[in-house]
Amino acid sequence: MRPYQTIKMFTALLLISLGVNAQSYQLNNRASTLFINGTSNIHDWTIEAENTSGLLITEFDDGSLEDIEQLELNVIAESLVSGKSGMDKNTYKALNTNKFKEINFKLKKVDHIEKLSNNTYNVKATGNLMIAGSKKDIQLQFSLKADSNKLLLSGLHEINMTNFGIEAPTAMFGTIKTGDKVTIKFETQFNK
């Protein structure tokens, strides 16, 4: 056995003996929702992501969340739908979906975990958000609820589209203008 393999095996055995249990979960698209809410000079609007995927790897110690090793969320950009084809086309144009097919969030580090109850936690984290080919570090705060073989993450996050090089979409020859700020509201379910 190679030294690296011996160290890896020893570390795994040590974590098991200490009661630390790493668990892997996949995002359940059907049980998850992600909405983007925005404004315009005429009315507020909402877009829903219909195709999301992701991976979540957590560490639990004696039933309590100790750490999140990995968190990745992916949205197929052209699965963002408003129910209005004209608005969807303008959204895809603004996001340059011909070139950039996905919107991604990837965890860099967990800043803080606060236990609120036996199975609910408030998590503050830092990660990379990539939209339309532009990557920015963001601070993300969300609730994590553990329920037997699934985890539910929910939260809100505001972004300014211009920070990602996105020009706010317009319609009707520029007479309808969307606001720069949008709110992402998510409730994502991860299953073992």
Side-chain angles (χ1 to χ4, degrees):
M1 190 177 288
R2 294 180 181 168
Y4 173 74
Q5 291 172 323
T6 304
I7 291 168
K8 194 173 177 182
M9 188 174 80
F10 176 75
T11 303
L13 290 172
L14 181 62
L15 290 175
I16 290 167
S17 69
L18 292 173
V20 176
N21 188 4
Q23 299 174 16
S24 179
Y25 300 82
Q26 293 287 330
L27 189 143
N28 180 337
N29 185 58
R30 288 185 179 187
S32 300
T33 59
L34 189 148
F35 295 98
I36 301 169
N37 299 306
T39 61
S40 75
N41 59 335
I42 294 182
H43 57 75
D44 293 349
W45 52 267
T46 298
I47 292 177
E48 182 176 5
E50 293 190 334
N51 190 343
T52 58
S53 61
L55 174 67
L56 175 62
I57 300 176
T58 60
E59 280 185 15
F60 281 86
D61 184 5
D62 291 331
S64 287
L65 178 68
E66 289 297 313
D67 194 17
I68 297 173
E69 290 182 10
Q70 189 173 347
L71 173 58
E72 293 181 21
L73 296 168
N74 305 299
V75 175
I76 301 298
E78 290 192 358
S79 80
L80 296 171
V81 293
S82 65
K84 297 175 182 149
S85 63
M87 183 174 177
D88 294 347
K89 285 178 188 174
N90 287 336
T91 300
Y92 304 153
K93 182 180 176 184
L95 294 174
N96 194 5
T97 59
N98 286 333
K99 187 174 181 183
F100 304 107
K101 304 296 184 188
E102 292 188 357
I103 297 167
N104 309 101
F105 172 82
K106 190 170 185 176
L107 177 75
K108 286 177 73 176
K109 65 175 182 161
V110 173
D111 300 310
H112 182 70
I113 297 174
E114 177 187 6
K115 188 171 187 175
L116 302 177
S117 69
N118 277 346
N119 62 347
T120 305
Y121 305 85
N122 187 31
V123 180
K124 293 179 183 175
T126 302
N128 287 325
L129 179 61
M130 181 178 280
I131 305 174
S134 181
K135 186 189 288 187
K136 303 283 180 196
D137 281 358
I138 64 165
Q139 299 288 316
L140 186 64
Q141 187 168 333
F142 57 88
S143 168
L144 185 150
K145 185 175 182 181
D147 183 14
S148 61
N149 290 327
K150 64 186 178 188
L151 298 176
L152 186 67
L153 274 62
S154 56
L156 294 169
H157 186 75
E158 285 188 351
I159 64 167
N160 291 333
M161 290 187 279
T162 50
N163 289 347
F164 289 85
I166 300 167
E167 190 174 322
T170 60
M172 300 293 290
F173 306 104
T175 58
I176 300 174
K177 298 178 181 178
T178 59
D180 181 36
K181 187 178 287 186
V182 296
T183 301
I184 301 167
K185 182 179 180 182
F186 57 93
E187 194 166 291
T188 51
Q189 180 177 306
F190 289 81
N191 295 349
K192 267 190 188 176

